[in-house]
Amino acid sequence: MRLIVVSNRLPIRLVREDRGWTSQPASGGLVTALSPVLRNRGGIWIGWPGVAGDFDEGEILGPASREAGHRLHPVRLSEVELKSFYHGFTNQIIWPLFHDLFTRCNFSSDFWRTYLKINARFADAIIQHHQPDDYVWVQDYHLMQVGHLLRRRGHGRYRTGFFLHIPFPPPDVFVKLPWRSQILRGLLDYDLVGFQTIRDRRNFVHCLRHLVREAKVQGRGPVISVRYGDRMLRLGCFPIGIGFDEFSEVAKRPETAERVAALREAHGTSQLMLSVDRLDYTKGIPERLEGFRRALARYPSLHEKITLIQQVVPSRDSVPEYQRLQTDIETLIAKINGQFTRPGWIPVHYLYRSMPREELVAHYRAADIGLITPLKDGMNLVAKEFCACDVDRSGALILSEFAGAAIQLRTGALLVNPYDYEGVAEAIRRAFLMPPEERRMRMHKLRTSVRKTDIAWWADSFMEAAFARTLHDFPHDERDLTEDFPRQHQHAAAGRRDPSGRRAGAGA
Ligand code: GDG
């Protein structure tokens, strides 16, 4: 049995440089979560390689496949298609709607037509690479119609699962979608549909009751069944996890400890508070900054004693709405720093860039408080990574009650409503004053929960729900990872250095 993972983006991003194309690791929660699942397991990952131009598949993706330990197959999209599919249907309709922000939606029917066309192209790519006994695991809201298109073309020949990484909205929000019935019925064509939380699945079931009355939901517990026409499918809850051991191991390294000491010394205040977010309006960055501003205004005892490190990872930054958000964030930071800075203390330390994983782990470990307050989030891996890296159990976590992670982490974290600025200010003061013993006790609970439900647990839970097998039942695929690419390209790739600096062709 072989796993075919299908997502909008491949785990790499092609970049055009003077001497040709190179590949770099892609960013974002889905890639962080799924890369360890497929790494060195063989199997196939199908997705868009992050670039609209014309590139030589074998030259780049052969070495990148070898590096990743599984085959990468690109789905090509033109600039025009990207605009209507990615920047249109997914970013201007599904993303805001599913995060309950329907006033930001642009319900264009051109976007919908392109969405169907691109989903069909992904279905074609699956059909092209599919072998009997493969399991097709489709990821996220960009590809909700792929299961339907496969079923139409294969008459049930394909075994398919779908996982939604973002929230599923309640019926009063979902019904605003002009293509609501097609989307729901499309999802019912998968054999298993997975959600992050019980709340998301409950919303989905409520939408079915309103809009697809012939679908009959049966059972209770983490996995339930739906009778739909002459078939049964399953709906499950699988809160996504992280590679806990990997994060924890990096956090314990001596070189990380050195980096942590340097960071702490450079900041020189008694406590560091850390926020890490992709640039996105759902992450609640301006709201959080306002909460911090109020904390400083209300509690002068925090002055010169606490520094917020706000990292923002550039994302969708060609979109005017995201550029405006960046400007708003930077204006607010300037306002706070202008009002409160004293010699030797700047309240908000702002990083607008991505950093290497090791550097991110050092920041997690250096932080005394994690401040993670999205307005709505499917899960939020940053909250879990902060806990995994707190190997001393000396940190406190402030977490939005609207992050999927809050359901698992509620007993150890200080939960806040991100729209309640006074409440956020109060939680910051409480975390700042929290005695070491209480921090230890809370962090112990948090780490236990994050470790037990790590990324392997997540993938296994999904596979068990799909057909009572775990990931270990997928045998390692020993074939040459470049064999699907044309021969001449393999020669071209041999001897070239891959992005990790290793020599391509040195073996999987
Ligand atoms: C979607 C859903 C769901 C951040 N800065 C750097 C960096 N990151 C990595 C983090 C984390 C990931 O980005 C962000 O994941 P999140 O879960 O917080 O958010 P989304 O990108 O919105 O992810 C979300 C997730 O899918 C998985 O299902 O939890 O709800 O929206 O892993 O570590 N990574 C590196 N450098 C950085 O500077 N290397």
Side-chain angles (χ1 to χ4, degrees):
M1 188 167 54
R2 200 178 56 151
L3 194 54
I4 301 183
V5 166
V6 192
S7 64
N8 175 48
R9 297 290 295 265
L10 281 174
I12 57 151
R13 199 162 58 92
L14 295 187
V15 180
R16 195 201 292 271
E17 289 179 345
D18 293 345
R19 55 203 168 82
W21 293 100
T22 58
S23 72
Q24 294 177 355
S27 60
L30 188 149
V31 166
T32 318
L34 273 157
S35 295
V37 173
L38 267 188
R39 191 176 302 139
N40 301 325
R41 185 165 292 288
I44 294 184
W45 192 324
I46 294 173
W48 177 60
V51 73
D54 196 19
F55 54 89
D56 184 323
E57 214 170 283
E59 183 184 350
I60 306 296
L61 295 178
S65 295
R66 234 190 325 265
E67 170 68 14
H70 51 81
R71 283 177 191 68
L72 303 172
H73 285 293
V75 174
R76 290 169 192 262
L77 303 177
S78 71
E79 286 285 1
V80 176
E81 288 168 342
L82 262 179
K83 220 167 155 199
S84 184
F85 167 67
Y86 180 64
H87 298 302
F89 197 79
T90 66
N91 284 354
Q92 291 184 50
I93 298 180
I94 300 298
W95 179 265
L97 186 78
F98 280 33
H99 287 89
D100 298 352
L101 298 165
F102 57 86
T103 51
R104 288 178 181 260
C105 291
N106 172 11
F107 293 117
S108 149
S109 48
D110 282 347
F111 292 168
W112 168 244
R113 277 190 289 276
T114 313
Y115 185 73
L116 291 178
K117 177 174 144 195
I118 301 302
N119 272 236
R121 191 171 303 161
F122 274 83
D124 287 341
I126 295 166
I127 291 166
Q128 185 192 341
H129 295 291
H130 186 270
Q131 295 171 3
D133 212 31
D134 280 349
Y135 187 73
V136 181
W137 192 7
V138 180
Q139 308 292 324
D140 229 0
Y141 59 102
H142 313 84
L143 303 173
M144 290 186 284
Q145 293 292 303
V146 166
H148 169 67
L149 295 161
L150 284 176
R151 186 166 294 284
R152 236 177 36 190
R153 294 182 49 185
H155 306 290
R157 187 152 58 91
Y158 302 101
R159 293 180 301 166
T160 58
F162 175 84
F163 184 77
L164 184 68
H165 289 255
I166 64 172
F168 196 91
D172 54 337
V173 175
F174 185 76
V175 290
K176 304 203 165 53
L177 182 67
W179 310 279
R180 57 201 188 181
S181 292
Q182 291 99 313
I183 290 286
L184 279 185
R185 288 174 191 277
L187 287 170
L188 292 175
D189 272 330
Y190 287 99
D191 299 319
L192 170 64
V193 180
F195 299 91
Q196 297 272 25
T197 67
I198 293 267
R199 183 185 54 203
D200 299 315
R201 189 183 65 187
R202 194 189 311 126
N203 286 342
F204 181 78
V205 168
H206 286 171
C207 288
L208 284 185
R209 291 206 175 114
H210 277 288
L211 298 166
V212 191
R213 292 182 180 224
E214 70 274 26
K216 299 290 174 223
V217 180
Q218 307 166 355
R220 302 169 70 99
V223 182
I224 60 178
S225 306
V226 183
R227 177 170 293 286
Y228 180 54
D230 57 358
R231 327 177 9 248
M232 294 291 283
L233 68 136
R234 290 167 173 203
L235 306 178
C237 298
F238 312 101
I240 199 162
I242 59 161
F244 180 93
D245 293 338
E246 271 177 63
F247 274 98
S248 184
E249 185 273 316
V250 177
K252 284 179 187 158
R253 288 181 193 165
E255 54 273 31
T256 305
E258 277 169 27
R259 185 70 196 113
V260 169
L263 269 172
R264 298 204 60 97
E265 199 188 324
H267 285 287
T269 48
S270 58
Q271 293 201 25
L272 293 179
M273 186 159 68
L274 177 69
S275 297
V276 174
D277 309 271
R278 265 192 316 100
L279 179 67
D280 199 283
Y281 49 81
T282 61
K283 302 292 179 183
I285 306 170
E287 292 78 1
R288 168 190 316 146
L289 288 167
E290 180 57 23
F292 184 50
R293 196 189 68 74
R294 294 203 190 187
L296 294 179
R298 260 174 69 177
Y299 308 115
S301 59
L302 296 178
H303 295 188
E304 299 174 62
K305 298 276 173 22
I306 190 166
T307 296
L308 170 62
I309 302 177
Q310 171 67 66
Q311 188 212 4
V312 177
V313 182
S315 171
R316 306 176 194 177
D317 48 7
S318 57
V319 179
E321 198 180 1
Y322 284 73
Q323 289 162 356
R324 275 196 297 279
L325 175 65
Q326 185 188 348
T327 307
D328 289 350
I329 291 168
E330 289 169 1
T331 306
L332 267 167
I333 291 173
K335 187 172 156 194
I336 298 170
N337 284 342
Q339 188 178 351
F340 295 103
T341 293
R342 299 284 178 273
W345 176 62
I346 299 173
V348 186
H349 187 82
Y350 172 57
L351 311 171
Y352 181 70
R353 56 174 184 260
S354 182
M355 47 176 122
R357 171 72 72 88
E358 290 72 18
E359 183 72 9
L360 179 64
V361 169
H363 276 79
Y364 283 142
R365 197 175 161 191
D368 303 282
I369 302 169
L371 181 63
I372 297 154
T373 55
L375 304 181
K376 182 132 187 187
D377 217 332
M379 179 55 54
N380 194 295
L381 299 181
V382 169
K384 295 188 170 186
E385 292 165 9
F386 172 73
C387 299
C389 294
D390 187 7
V391 289
D392 309 319
R393 296 168 182 76
S394 59
L397 175 64
I398 301 173
L399 180 62
S400 162
E401 58 188 277
F402 307 130
I407 295 171
Q408 290 173 294
L409 303 183
R410 63 177 177 266
T411 57
L414 299 178
L415 292 192
V416 291
N417 170 356
Y419 295 99
D420 173 8
Y421 306 139
E422 302 298 331
V424 172
E426 173 53 29
I428 291 172
R429 191 178 78 112
R430 210 179 138 200
F432 177 80
L433 295 175
M434 191 184 283
E437 206 31 63
E438 183 179 347
R439 286 186 176 207
R440 218 180 338 273
M441 185 265 296
R442 285 175 175 270
M443 189 47 75
H444 178 72
K445 282 189 193 166
L446 290 168
R447 285 172 59 84
T448 305
S449 163
V450 176
R451 192 182 58 238
K452 275 191 188 156
T453 56
D454 70 357
I455 189 65
W457 172 89
W458 171 74
D460 279 346
S461 314
F462 194 95
M463 291 305 151
E464 277 172 31
F467 34 67
R469 298 204 187 179
T470 71
L471 206 59
H472 297 287
D473 297 309
F474 288 86
H476 284 237
D477 191 345
E478 303 296 344
R479 283 183 303 159
D480 176 359
L481 289 164
T482 57
E483 75 182 21
D484 292 349
F485 297 106
R487 276 282 149 200
Q488 67 273 25
H489 297 320
Q490 290 184 39
H491 295 308
R496 187 185 299 266
R497 285 195 183 279
D498 68 19
S500 70
R502 289 213 320 242
R503 200 164 272 288

